[in-house]
Amino acid sequence: MKAIILVGGEGTRLRPLTYSVVKPMVPVVNRPFIEHVILKLAAHGINDIVLAMGYKPDSIFAYFKDGAGAGIKLSYSLEEKPLGTAGAVKNAGGHVEDTFFVLNGDTFSDIDYTEMLAFHRRNRALATIALSYVDDPTRFGVVETDKSGRVKAFIEKPTRDRVTSNWINAGVYILQPSVLGCIPDNQFFMFEKGVFPPLLERGERVFGYAVKSYWIDMGRPSQYHQLNCDVLRGLCSSPLYSVKDITIEQRCSVHPSARITGPAIINNGCNIAEDAVIIGPAVIGSNCIIGKGAVIENSVLWDDIIVGAGASITGSIIASGAKIEENARLEDLTVNQDAPSDPITKKI
Ligand code: GTP
């Protein structure tokens, strides 16, 4: 089965954390975010995957080439101008002949795609929208359904007094190919505004698949940090990570006096000096040097980072190549070496 993943319009970055790394390639427990998403789809037999993208994705090509592992076919659909979520699907949908999935490429979930497909088929739906339950739906698109799951209304980013449901559009759809007929070629078009409401008005069979499962929109650094911690703790699953208290990959040197409390993962080639303390949840990328007596707690470090002796890093995200000075104190910060004017930015 086919899935189209929307990986973004021009310049998709996890600002202020990354300028040079595009959002799909941001590491989650040391593997690109989008690789987790692709392998989760493949685990449900959805292994013909199109990445729809609107920017020059050299790093994505270089990493995946034309596959993402055994039996997974990966292709790319490029846009010359921003087409919006639906426009991008139309642009990518040339070869869609059967029921297909669409995923927003910046959300991560434990949605059971197999069960969602069965729900879609049982209801003979034209479109099925996965719904996620959130405490505060005011930042999202709220979807109202009747008891059978049939969608009654969409309310985009309601003010607090207009909240009628906590179920929001989770950015995962199953569509019949005929939906592509409602989207004009080569024009900016969004599902939330241009496709789903007109389908409702025409009385088409649009359903909401509402199941309480893990879901996060990793559009902000704080949510990205949360996602890493949640994968480490096993609150959500990924075929790329088996939950373990402490994982130390190859070629690492850990001084016997260093203390590590899980959940923590330390990637290849790291050097953890004497008396260093790592308190999970903690992710440490490859080739990092953690200096004598340094403390890393509840933080995500990417690759090639040097943490000076006695430094302490808490609740922070550090992008690749950063050098943290001796005895520095970092709390709830994002550090980005490739943002020359603002290497250390605000709270995450
Ligand atoms: P807000 O609703 O504005 O908060 O942003 P959002 O990122 O949650 O939603 P949006 O509907 O803008 O985007 C949903 C997903 O579609 C994201 O993964 C975007 O990267 C992706 N996306 C948005 N516009 C385009 C586009 O023109 N082309 C492609 N290929 N993907 C897009």
Side-chain angles (χ1 to χ4, degrees):
M1 171 157 293
K2 193 170 227 140
I4 299 173
I5 310 180
L6 298 161
V7 290
E10 183 63 34
T12 175
R13 304 287 190 277
L14 193 59
R15 291 206 163 91
L17 188 62
T18 71
Y19 287 76
S20 60
V21 182
V22 294
K23 222 195 285 185
M25 295 305 287
V26 161
V28 171
V29 291
N30 296 325
R31 299 286 282 267
F33 171 74
I34 200 72
E35 191 178 10
H36 293 270
V37 175
I38 290 170
L39 293 196
K40 281 181 93 122
L41 284 165
H44 289 271
I46 306 158
N47 49 16
D48 180 357
I49 289 167
V50 182
L51 299 181
M53 44 179 93
Y55 55 89
K56 201 161 171 268
D58 290 346
S59 56
I60 300 182
F61 281 135
Y63 187 84
F64 290 110
K65 306 195 173 63
D66 57 359
I72 304 174
K73 181 182 164 219
L74 194 61
S75 40
Y76 304 89
S77 165
L78 303 180
E79 296 142 40
E80 281 167 15
K81 59 177 186 185
L83 292 175
T85 49
V89 167
K90 175 81 176 195
N91 188 57
H95 306 292
V96 173
E97 280 148 17
D98 207 347
T99 309
F100 65 105
F101 278 80
V102 173
L103 269 75
N104 280 359
D106 53 6
T107 57
F108 192 89
S109 77
D110 269 343
I111 290 168
D112 184 332
Y113 302 122
T114 306
E115 208 186 82
M116 183 176 168
L117 183 59
F119 174 90
H120 177 83
R121 292 201 161 126
R122 222 171 28 246
N123 287 307
R124 290 174 292 105
L126 184 68
T128 298
I129 303 168
L131 308 182
S132 177
Y133 187 94
V134 294
D135 290 331
D136 175 13
T138 55
R139 283 197 300 120
F140 302 100
V142 169
V143 182
E144 283 181 16
T145 59
D146 67 14
K147 279 207 183 85
S148 71
R150 194 149 177 177
V151 175
K152 291 193 303 186
F154 296 99
I155 305 144
E156 194 59 26
K157 297 185 180 143
T159 51
R160 212 163 279 277
D161 54 318
R162 287 199 57 222
V163 170
T164 49
S165 160
N166 289 65
W167 290 98
I168 58 145
N169 177 347
V172 175
Y173 315 127
I174 301 178
L175 305 177
Q176 292 306 113
S178 61
V179 172
L180 293 177
C182 313
I183 308 168
D185 283 328
N186 213 22
Q187 260 185 53
F188 187 91
F189 229 65
M190 299 292 280
F191 279 108
E192 303 82 338
K193 293 192 198 96
V195 179
F196 295 138
L199 288 181
L200 272 198
E201 276 164 32
R202 289 194 339 233
E204 299 284 6
R205 297 181 69 80
V206 180
F207 280 76
Y209 174 71
V211 173
K212 284 189 181 170
S213 53
Y214 185 90
W215 181 86
I216 196 166
D217 171 349
M218 74 115 198
R220 297 180 186 172
S222 57
Q223 292 150 339
Y224 163 75
H225 178 271
Q226 179 77 45
L227 173 59
N228 275 272
C229 297
D230 290 347
V231 175
L232 277 184
R233 290 192 180 109
L235 297 180
C236 55
S237 67
S238 169
L240 288 172
Y241 180 71
S242 12
V243 179
K244 208 170 146 199
D245 192 35
I246 297 168
T247 307
I248 299 178
E249 304 284 11
Q250 294 167 18
R251 294 178 284 100
C252 289
S253 143
V254 180
H255 193 277
S257 65
R259 281 187 293 126
I260 304 175
T261 318
I265 181 165
I266 298 170
N267 210 355
N268 298 325
C270 288
N271 191 323
I272 316 288
E274 62 188 294
D275 297 328
V277 180
I278 295 169
I279 303 169
V283 178
I284 300 190
S286 54
N287 305 316
C288 291
I289 298 171
I290 311 298
K292 184 178 171 188
V295 179
I296 315 283
E297 182 173 0
N298 184 27
S299 292
V300 179
L301 276 59
W302 295 5
D303 301 332
D304 306 307
I305 291 163
I306 299 174
V307 179
S312 123
I313 300 175
T314 310
S316 297
I317 310 167
I318 318 288
S320 296
K323 288 192 180 64
I324 308 300
E325 286 177 15
E326 286 187 8
N327 300 314
R329 294 272 171 276
L330 269 61
E331 208 178 318
D332 301 334
L333 291 172
T334 54
V335 177
N336 178 8
Q337 288 299 98
D338 66 9
S341 60
D342 193 13
I344 296 187
T345 51
K346 319 294 169 301
K347 304 258 173 203
I348 62 170

